[in-house]
């Protein structure tokens, strides 16, 4: 399992985390996954989720 496959959520409090997840999402998209990085206010985290989940 690659780091991109394992790492799908990081705390929002660190300014470095969003760019990290953006890069991981790009790798996943290049591999055929339809994903998006979103902010979860309840947990105060950035997460990589499928676009289907974003729409619901």
């Amino acid at each position: 399992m690659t780091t991109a496959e394992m790492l799908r959520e990081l705390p929002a409090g660190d300014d470095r985390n969003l760019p990290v997840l953006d890069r991981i999402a790009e790798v996943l998209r290049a591999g055929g996954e339809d994903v998006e990085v979103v902010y979860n206010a309840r947990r105060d985290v950035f997460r990589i989720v499928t676009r289907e989940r974003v729409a619901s």
Side-chain angles (χ1 to χ4, degrees):
M1 184 174 285
T2 67
T3 301
E5 291 170 331
M6 294 185 299
L7 186 63
R8 296 221 176 208
E9 179 177 294
L10 288 172
D14 188 335
D15 293 340
R16 297 171 292 179
N17 288 342
L18 182 57
V20 168
L21 286 180
D22 281 337
R23 286 191 299 273
I24 291 170
E26 286 298 320
V27 170
L28 294 171
R29 286 185 205 109
E33 290 191 50
D34 192 14
V35 296
E36 196 66 40
V37 178
V38 298
Y39 174 67
N40 181 316
R42 179 176 291 163
R43 297 184 58 211
D44 195 31
V45 296
F46 291 111
R47 302 181 74 198
I48 296 175
V49 297
T50 62
R51 287 184 198 250
E52 295 168 348
R53 245 178 112 186
V54 172
S56 58

